[in-house]
Amino acid sequence: IATKKLVELESQEQFGIYCLYLCTNISNNNILIGLQASIYFKNYIMKHWVPDEDANTPYGNISINDRNIIKENIVTGMLNAKEKRIRSQLEQALAIISAKDFPRQWDQLLPSLVSNIGNFIQLHNNQNIPNNEQLNQLLPVLNTLNSILYHYRYTVKSQELWEEIEYVLKNLQEPLQLLYICLLSHIKTQENIQSIDYLKIMVQNIKLILEIYLSLISQEFPQYYVDHKVIWFESFTYLLNYTPDKQNGLNQLRPTN
């Protein structure tokens, strides 16, 4: 009965907005409710965001107003999610939306993600060592960028594609490089590595940056990265030969593909 009622409510205005709110505004005692809401929200987006092939509208069964409000709040909601599994569901929902709307119908997505990268860089510039929580909050930002840019590796060249890549490069190329330098500096300063788990999160972030970098250079090698190739190529050699310090048992972490 409850499932049937929810399905009926899906067609109502603001249903998706309230669902997103429930995902991200819960107490620690109600994590399970938030998780269930996040799964339902992802499935709702999957079901309704992209229209059916025979639909008479370019939009799915979600009003333009609701779509705009969801897009305005999903990045913040994802980053503020209290539980990793909730964050993961919102990442997947965001990927569905961005596949349809980015960049022409969602011009605030990239600036929002880049802004969060900038906040992390500022933390480094203030000579603060990031903690596990801050590194974990960086992961969904990079995961999202990796998701929306991955198609550059295989999409056939076109003027429209290159215009999109130029737009992304203009906003992302420098912040991405600065973030990469920032994380590498912490890896190189062994005393900053607090535990195996901390190092694993750091390496996950670096791996995602390299995934994004690969997508950005897949169609054509951008001039910015030509000018700064020494930074990247020297770091590749360093990472291939990287061995964690034996201190605190960090040498238990072995390189993986």
Side-chain angles (χ1 to χ4, degrees):
I1 296 174
T3 302
K4 183 179 179 181
K5 184 63 176 176
L6 282 171
V7 171
E8 292 174 356
L9 290 172
E10 286 181 12
S11 61
Q12 293 190 12
E13 192 82 4
Q14 299 188 338
F15 176 84
I17 297 169
Y18 284 121
C19 199
L20 176 60
Y21 179 86
L22 187 58
C23 298
T24 57
N25 290 272
I26 53 170
S27 67
N28 291 329
N29 295 327
N30 294 311
I31 293 295
L32 185 58
I33 294 174
L35 178 59
Q36 291 171 334
S38 68
I39 294 171
Y40 201 96
F41 176 76
K42 180 203 62 183
N43 291 335
Y44 165 80
I45 294 297
M46 187 183 300
K47 181 179 177 183
H48 294 294
W49 199 272
V50 179
D52 296 330
E53 291 183 2
D54 57 351
N56 296 321
T57 172
Y59 305 105
N61 298 324
I62 304 174
S63 71
I64 295 177
N65 184 60
D66 280 13
R67 295 164 82 89
N68 289 336
I69 293 174
I70 288 171
K71 286 189 287 190
E72 286 170 6
N73 291 279
I74 191 169
V75 173
T76 301
M78 176 182 69
L79 296 178
N80 292 337
K82 293 183 171 66
E83 221 273 342
K84 183 178 180 180
R85 291 173 296 175
I86 296 175
R87 188 178 296 158
S88 175
Q89 294 297 320
L90 294 179
E91 277 184 48
Q92 293 176 58
L94 196 156
I96 295 167
I97 297 171
S98 62
K100 172 69 170 61
D101 289 12
F102 180 81
R104 297 186 184 281
Q105 297 175 43
W106 198 358
D107 58 3
Q108 288 305 307
L109 175 59
L110 187 59
S112 176
L113 296 171
V114 170
S115 174
N116 281 281
I117 290 175
N119 292 339
F120 193 93
I121 294 169
Q122 187 59 48
L123 180 76
H124 172 75
N125 291 341
N126 292 336
Q127 299 184 334
N128 293 317
I129 300 172
N131 56 36
N132 279 37
E133 181 180 352
Q134 290 162 333
L135 286 170
N136 270 317
Q137 282 195 322
L138 189 59
L139 281 173
V141 173
L142 296 176
N143 266 323
T144 300
L145 285 167
N146 186 39
S147 173
I148 65 177
L149 306 182
Y150 192 87
H151 74 100
Y152 296 168
R153 303 186 190 189
Y154 58 81
T155 301
V156 176
K157 288 184 178 181
S158 67
Q159 184 61 30
E160 182 179 4
L161 176 65
W162 187 243
E163 287 175 0
E164 178 183 325
I165 293 174
E166 285 187 322
Y167 162 73
V168 171
L169 286 169
K170 181 180 178 181
N171 287 275
L172 181 61
Q173 58 190 10
E174 184 176 11
L176 186 72
Q177 180 169 288
L178 290 174
L179 178 64
Y180 184 56
I181 294 169
C182 163
L183 293 177
L184 279 175
S185 71
H186 289 297
I187 286 281
K188 292 177 179 179
T189 309
Q190 294 280 358
E191 57 266 26
N192 288 350
I193 306 301
Q194 303 162 12
S195 66
I196 292 175
D197 287 340
Y198 183 89
L199 182 57
K200 284 181 177 179
I201 302 169
M202 186 77 76
V203 170
Q204 283 178 327
N205 278 298
I206 289 175
K207 182 177 181 293
L208 283 168
I209 291 173
L210 295 176
E211 291 274 5
I212 295 164
Y213 174 80
L214 177 57
S215 295
L216 290 174
I217 67 172
S218 290
Q219 293 283 335
E220 185 175 309
F221 209 84
Q223 186 60 46
Y224 181 85
Y225 291 133
V226 171
D227 295 341
H228 297 86
K229 62 180 181 294
V230 173
I231 292 173
W232 293 88
F233 294 169
E234 287 186 352
S235 72
F236 297 158
T237 303
Y238 173 81
L239 290 171
L240 287 169
N241 292 284
Y242 177 71
T243 302
D245 199 317
K246 293 183 179 180
Q247 175 184 325
N248 297 325
L250 292 178
N251 62 323
Q252 296 176 36
L253 187 66
R254 293 288 182 246
T256 58
N257 293 333

